[in-house]
Amino acid sequence: ADVSGANGDFGIRYTLSDVAGSGIKVDYNYVPKHGSGDATGDGGPSGTTNGAKDSHDITLTGAVPGVEGLSVGAGYSVRNYDNKNTAKNGDSREDGTVYATYAYGPVTVGYQKGVQGDGAASDGTHYVNTYMGISYAISDDLSVAYNNTVSRKTGGAIGFSSLDQEWD
């Protein structure tokens, strides 16, 4: 439900749990000033907001009708900045992701693709992340899983073509 990572900030969320009987859930979140960390117990901000303005997240998630065990989702986020004292005035950061999971008995497999364009860096840097996983539920209290993640960084001021990082 949160694509941008603006958790910990006060915002306004609207959730429609079933769009026209389709089983698809829509979740929209608006944060007036992201990065403020103001959703702490005392309501006071923590850290710096670095020219942060508002952020918007929207996700669509749900089960695929007629295909038992298949769930899909997509999300988009934009975080706006007002960097008045730099050459990066008015930048934003955009994130997007799509995923699918399929569960059959005790086995669940999943695949997710995410893209993050770091507009706040103003140098063309972006990341493409791929996540794959499989899990097996041995019992209600115990499961085993294997996950693989590949993150590719491209663009940037230093002129590299791409840089990959992979972990299991």
Side-chain angles (χ1 to χ4, degrees), residues 16-144:
L16 181 59
S17 61
D18 190 8
V19 178
S22 66
I24 299 295
K25 174 183 168 184
V26 174
D27 194 347
Y28 172 75
N29 188 37
Y30 166 73
V31 174
K33 191 162 191 171
H34 66 85
S36 61
D38 55 6
T40 58
D42 64 358
S46 62
T48 177
T49 59
N50 293 327
K53 290 173 54 178
D54 59 344
S55 71
H56 305 267
D57 288 287
I58 187 163
T59 60
L60 302 168
T61 58
V64 175
V67 184
E68 188 174 336
L70 181 61
S71 295
V72 296
Y76 171 77
S77 170
V78 63
R79 284 187 264 179
N80 296 308
Y81 297 87
D82 188 9
N83 298 311
K84 293 178 183 175
N85 297 326
T86 69
K88 299 181 270 188
N89 189 18
D91 285 335
S92 64
R93 172 181 163 173
E94 295 181 77
D95 298 87
T97 190
V98 294
Y99 77 87
T101 61
Y102 182 71
Y104 184 77
V107 177
T108 301
V109 294
Y111 180 84
Q112 181 176 355
K113 193 77 153 182
V115 177
Q116 184 252 315
D118 198 359
S122 293
D123 63 3
T125 301
H126 67 278
Y127 300 85
V128 177
N129 302 310
T130 304
Y131 312 91
M132 295 181 286
I134 186 168
S135 67
Y136 179 78
I138 297 169
S139 70
D140 288 344
D141 298 321
L142 179 66
S143 63
V144 293

